[in-house]
Amino acid sequence: MKIGFGSDHAAVELKNILLEHLKEQGYECVDYGAYDPAVKTDYPVQGQKVAEALVRGEVDKGVLVCGTGIGISLAANKVPGIRAAVCSEPYSAKLSVQHNNANIIAMGARVVGPELGKMIVDEFFQASFEGGRHENRVDMIAEIERKYSK
């Protein structure tokens, strides 16, 4: 599986830790920036880059990190087909995939530390979409997206 990573300047360190953690598990990782915590980077840029790469099929899933995880996920979710979930603990990360078929996990570098961040991505990438009763709800979300994309 190929994973796209993105962050703003406030989250470069956590992004790099998570990227290395997943590389060690055998995932192929693509870093879309930011690269330097000393250079201010606006989170919508990286959120959009990772989301568009996912939609184009360049990556299979994404990991986004900013100060809280909220802003970068909002930017990613503007790209049709993206379901980015902000999670600050592992249980929600797992259920975001199982119930919502999330394709991007987002978190805040000012909210979670490195070890908790690793647990969050582990649960996210070990989970599988359950379909069934959840499929209809995910389809309803996609229909809302189509309605406003016209």
Side-chain angles (χ1 to χ4, degrees), residues 47-64:
Q48 182 178 0
K49 282 182 182 180
V50 172
E52 288 177 344
L54 200 154
V55 169
R56 286 192 304 265
E58 295 170 12
V59 295
D60 302 303
K61 288 199 175 187
V63 175
L64 296 174

Side-chain angles (χ1 to χ4, degrees), residues 102-117:
N103 47 20
I104 293 178
I105 186 76
M107 67 188 79
R110 295 178 180 139
V111 179
V112 304
E115 294 309 310
L116 181 55

Side-chain angles (χ1 to χ4, degrees), residues 46-133:
Q46 273 64 40
Q48 182 178 0
K49 282 182 182 180
V50 172
E52 288 177 344
L54 200 154
V55 169
R56 286 192 304 265
E58 295 170 12
V59 295
D60 302 303
K61 288 199 175 187
V63 175
L64 296 174
V65 193
C66 68
T68 63
I70 297 168
I72 201 163
S73 72
L74 290 174
N77 278 319
K78 295 299 181 184
V79 176
I82 296 303
R83 291 172 306 281
V86 181
C87 297
S88 299
E89 39 70 36
Y91 181 72
S92 294
K94 178 170 85 172
L95 264 66
S96 75
V97 175
Q98 290 179 337
H99 293 190
N100 309 114
N101 203 15
N103 47 20
I104 293 178
I105 186 76
M107 67 188 79
R110 295 178 180 139
V111 179
V112 304
E115 294 309 310
L116 181 55
K118 290 176 187 178
M119 290 190 289
I120 291 168
V121 296
D122 287 347
E123 288 294 326
F124 182 80
F125 287 105
Q126 291 167 10
S128 298
F129 181 51
E130 292 178 350
R133 71 186 205 283

